Amino acid sequence: AQTVTQSQPEMSVQEAETVTLSCTYDTSENNYYLFWYKQPPSRQMILVIRQEAYKQQNATENRFSVNFQKAAKSFSLKISDSQLGDTAMYFCAFMITGGGADGLTFGKGTHLIIQP
Amino acid sequence: NAGVMQNPRHLVRRRGQEARLRCSPMKGHSHVYWYRQLPEEGLKFMVYLQKENIIDESGMPKERFSAEFPKEGPSILRIQQVVRGDSAAYFCASRITHHPDYGYTFGSGTRLTVV
């Protein structure tokens, strides 16, 4: 079974600062995807960024980037130039590829607060 | 494109009643997934369906819970004889294909409260 651990229940930074959210996971699989989802107060889950395990290059989407360390099973999210609209719950998630169930396994989340 | 539509957004049921949660996937999406989010927790996978078929229900409680995705109409998650522990937010997600390169689109969830 796969597990995803987010060790920071809550983080708070000032607007325009850079913040890093941590995520570690445990799996014996070699082929998988990792994701960061944002859940604002509206509750909708919004995909922030995705990383394929077979790719060594870290994924980047505008102000969002990841530090993927496959050997360490670590997948942190960096948010640069943070904005008030970034305030939300952030969930790290894992998905096996290549057969069988392909549901997502989520961590418990980090509540990120951007202060004005 | 209206995205994934879930209704109702909020549902209150007394213990012992039935709860029916509906999910209309994005247009063209034939793969539907249901997740449950307990307070202070991440989402937990419940069931994966394609049109008229249950593909994986390994996350679904064995009793009182059922899901369907008929040929016509929305996917339905049904909870019979609800108990207080069923209180949670239930999310539906859809995908256009099984291939992992294609991502999930989530709905805004149904918050079920059992009183």
Side-chain angles (χ1 to χ4, degrees):
Chain A
Q2 284 63 237
T3 59
V4 177
T5 302
Q6 293 179 248
S7 59
Q8 305 149 313
E10 185 171 290
M11 294 189 72
S12 180
V13 299
Q14 297 293 123
E15 192 176 6
E17 288 184 346
T18 293
V19 60
T20 298
L21 309 183
S22 65
C23 171
T24 57
Y25 59 94
D26 190 23
T27 184
S28 57
E29 300 287 335
N30 199 43
N31 298 315
Y32 50 88
Y33 284 64
L34 293 159
F35 306 84
W36 278 98
Y37 279 88
K38 171 184 177 181
Q39 187 180 42
S42 66
R43 253 191 2 231
Q44 183 158 17
M45 297 291 285
I46 301 165
L47 178 64
V48 175
I49 201 164
R50 182 181 76 176
Q51 175 81 41
E52 293 91 331
Y54 64 86
K55 289 188 178 177
Q56 291 188 339
Q57 187 172 4
N58 289 323
T60 299
E61 288 286 340
N62 300 314
R63 297 182 296 109
F64 300 87
S65 61
V66 298
N67 182 4
F68 174 46
Q69 302 288 330
K70 191 172 183 180
K73 295 180 181 174
S74 170
F75 182 62
S76 60
L77 174 69
K78 185 171 87 170
I79 306 174
S80 303
D81 185 27
S82 57
Q83 301 174 358
L84 296 178
D86 295 334
T87 293
M89 285 293 294
Y90 285 80
F91 292 96
C92 179
F94 173 100
M95 182 179 80
I96 297 172
T97 59
D102 61 350
L104 293 161
T105 301
F106 286 86
K108 290 191 175 184
T110 295
H111 185 203
L112 176 64
I113 300 167
I114 308 299
Q115 307 274 9
Chain B
N1 194 334
V4 177
M5 304 301 292
Q6 288 189 251
N7 65 82
R9 187 145 170 81
H10 301 277
L11 181 62
V12 179
R13 284 289 177 264
R14 295 187 184 279
R15 280 178 294 172
Q17 289 185 320
E18 178 180 287
R20 290 171 72 87
L21 288 62
R22 285 176 291 278
C23 168
S24 296
M26 281 189 72
K27 188 176 180 180
H29 287 196
S30 60
H31 300 252
V32 166
Y33 306 78
W34 285 93
Y35 290 81
R36 176 165 64 177
Q37 185 179 29
L38 295 169
E40 311 299 322
E41 298 279 327
L43 280 68
K44 296 273 195 275
F45 168 76
M46 297 181 75
V47 62
Y48 161 36
L49 309 103
Q50 283 181 266
K51 279 290 187 182
E52 300 183 272
N53 293 304
I54 296 175
I55 306 301
D56 180 1
E57 55 182 349
S58 59
M60 193 105 95
K62 293 289 185 282
E63 297 179 354
R64 302 187 298 108
F65 285 72
S66 62
E68 62 177 15
F69 188 17
K71 188 176 180 181
E72 301 291 337
S75 175
I76 305 288
L77 179 67
R78 182 179 175 210
I79 312 171
Q80 296 178 289
Q81 299 171 350
V82 296
V83 301
R84 289 248 171 91
D86 297 332
S87 294
Y90 291 82
F91 287 87
C92 170
S94 72
R95 284 165 70 178
I96 193 167
T97 175
H98 177 77
H99 195 283
D101 279 351
Y102 292 83
Y104 297 80
T105 301
F106 279 85
S108 295
T110 293
R111 185 174 296 283
L112 171 66
T113 302
V114 180
V115 297

